[in-house]
């Protein structure tokens, strides 16, 4: 196909000023394909633009990189994704609940295309109405109330309550990996809010309601560090297991048995 593009690129565009060729995942091209493209990049036709898109630029041959301009695209913020979805929904005259859009935006992880794809599913799921419940169902996300209850079990060292919440979540068919991801993001938001409460735009998983603010005041930063460490380890272990539920249960027991001991006081003993 690269050789076909190279041959067609020689001809001037007929319906526009430029011909634009977008090659997605360009790092997947074979050495022969890169060599075939190199000649065209060395002596590009006047009215042709090549856009080489990749998520792994380190796999692109240096001969190609030296003949191109590089532009690094960053993840789109949750706020900007929500604003775009509001615009689209208003244009299409589709009703929505404000709280549903951040749920979709967070799962999209900075990708507008993914956000709009999920939005389409939620619209279809809810008969042309975007609701929080439908957004939760489609994305497999958890409500903030459930996350608050789980963290309350951690603070109170209530292993029984923590395991009970976990079992109810898994019984509803929630994805174990998604649950761990939600917990990590929620822990991170608690930590960010503790250290910089005025920077609400940095929150990814949580909304700063009264329950969230109360929890941030009760849970020590040391506990959050430990929770994030345990969850990260669990996330790695789950990838290579056919029984991720077991690792989640073990992680729940570990987190609900954390002890926030006061730092030791060193006293000088007179000699």
């Amino acid at each position: 196909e690269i050789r076909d593009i190279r041959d067609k690129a020689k001809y001037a565009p007929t319906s526009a000023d430029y011909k634009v060729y977008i090659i997605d995942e360009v790092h997947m091209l074979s050495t022969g394909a890169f060599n075939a493209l190199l000649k065209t990049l060395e002596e590009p036709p006047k009215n042709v633009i090549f856009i080489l898109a990749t998520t792994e630029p380190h796999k692109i041959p240096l001969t190609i990189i030296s003949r191109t301009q590089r532009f690094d695209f960053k993840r789109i913020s949750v706020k900007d994704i929500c604003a775009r979805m509001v615009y689209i929904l208003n244009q299409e005259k589709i009703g929505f609940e404000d709280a549903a859009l951040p749920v979709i935006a967070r799962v999209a992880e900075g990708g507008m295309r993914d956000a709009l794809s999920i939005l389409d599913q939620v619209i279809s799921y809810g008969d042309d109405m975007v609701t929080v419940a439908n957004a939760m169902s489609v994305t497999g996300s958890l409500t903030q109330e459930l996350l608050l209850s789980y963290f309350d079990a951690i603070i109170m060292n209530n292993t029984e309550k923590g395991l009970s919440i976990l079992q109810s979540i898994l019984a509803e068919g929630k994805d174990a990996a998604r649950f761990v991801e939600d917990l990590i993001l929620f822990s991170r938001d608690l930590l960010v809010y503790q250290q910089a409460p005025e920077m609400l735009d940095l929150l990814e998983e949580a909304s700063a309601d009264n329950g969230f603010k109360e929890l941030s005041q009760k849970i020590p930063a040391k506990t959050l560090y430990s929770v994030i460490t345990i969850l990260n380890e669990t996330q790695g272990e789950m990838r290579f297991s056919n029984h991720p539920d077991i690792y989640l249960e073990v992680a729940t027991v570990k987190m609900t048995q954390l002890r926030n001991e006061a730092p030791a006081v060193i006293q000088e003993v007179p000699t």
Side-chain angles (χ1 to χ4, degrees):
E1 290 183 9
I2 290 294
R3 290 186 175 87
D4 183 55
I5 290 173
R6 182 189 61 184
D7 293 338
K8 290 180 179 178
K10 299 175 183 177
Y11 301 104
T14 56
S15 58
D17 294 334
Y18 290 91
K19 278 185 178 179
V20 181
Y21 291 98
I22 302 175
I23 305 177
D24 196 13
E25 301 295 343
V26 73
H27 63 271
M28 298 295 290
L29 292 185
S30 65
T31 302
F34 273 126
N35 290 336
L37 183 62
L38 185 60
K39 180 66 176 175
T40 304
L41 295 180
E42 286 176 336
E43 301 173 2
K46 182 179 178 181
N47 296 319
V48 172
I49 296 174
F50 283 94
I51 299 177
L52 312 180
T54 179
T55 52
E56 301 183 55
H58 59 279
K59 292 185 179 180
I60 308 299
L62 292 176
T63 51
I64 298 292
I65 292 177
S66 65
R67 290 165 175 80
T68 55
Q69 289 179 299
R70 175 169 173 166
F71 300 93
D72 290 323
F73 291 90
K74 299 177 182 179
R75 290 185 177 186
I76 304 171
S77 69
V78 169
K79 182 179 178 181
D80 289 340
I81 291 177
C82 288
R84 183 61 181 171
M85 287 192 288
V86 168
Y87 171 79
I88 292 172
L89 291 168
N90 287 336
Q91 290 291 311
E92 298 296 327
K93 294 181 173 56
I94 296 173
F96 62 93
E97 295 177 0
D98 290 336
L101 302 186
V103 174
I104 298 170
R106 285 193 291 265
V107 174
E109 297 182 341
M112 186 65 74
R113 179 178 60 184
D114 290 343
L116 297 183
S117 297
I118 297 169
L119 180 63
D120 280 340
Q121 293 178 42
V122 175
I123 292 171
S124 301
Y125 196 79
D127 296 326
D128 292 337
M129 178 66 185
V130 180
T131 65
V132 174
N134 290 336
M136 291 287 184
S137 297
V138 170
T139 61
S141 300
L142 301 174
T143 63
Q144 181 151 311
E145 290 74 15
L146 202 53
L147 290 169
L148 289 172
S149 297
Y150 188 83
F151 272 85
D152 186 61
I154 293 175
I155 293 175
M156 302 303 294
N157 300 125
N158 192 335
T159 303
E160 184 178 348
K161 179 181 177 182
L163 289 173
S164 177
I165 293 172
L166 174 62
Q167 290 302 322
S168 65
I169 290 170
L170 297 177
E172 291 178 5
K174 298 291 185 183
D175 181 58
R178 181 73 236 173
F179 177 49
V180 173
E181 190 69 24
D182 284 347
L183 289 175
I184 291 174
L185 289 174
F186 197 74
S187 302
R188 174 259 185 204
D189 285 350
L190 285 167
L191 204 54
V192 168
Y193 185 77
Q194 281 183 353
Q195 306 305 319
E198 69 284 354
M199 301 184 70
L200 296 177
D201 289 345
L202 293 179
L203 301 183
E204 292 188 9
E205 179 71 17
S207 59
D209 58 15
N210 291 333
F212 178 81
K213 291 177 181 178
E214 289 176 9
L215 177 62
S216 69
Q217 293 171 358
K218 290 192 295 185
I219 189 166
K222 179 183 175 182
T223 299
L224 289 173
Y225 297 144
S226 300
V227 165
I228 291 172
T229 299
I230 292 171
L231 291 172
N232 275 327
E233 292 173 352
T234 303
Q235 199 173 42
E237 292 165 340
M238 287 169 58
R239 291 174 184 162
F240 306 101
S241 173
N242 293 325
H243 304 285
D245 297 3
I246 295 176
Y247 288 101
L248 263 178
E249 291 170 351
V250 172
T252 299
V253 172
K254 285 182 180 178
M255 291 186 291
T256 53
Q257 292 183 357
L258 289 172
R259 291 290 184 269
N260 304 308
E261 299 175 357
V265 177
I266 301 175
Q267 296 179 339
E268 292 186 8
V269 180
T271 57

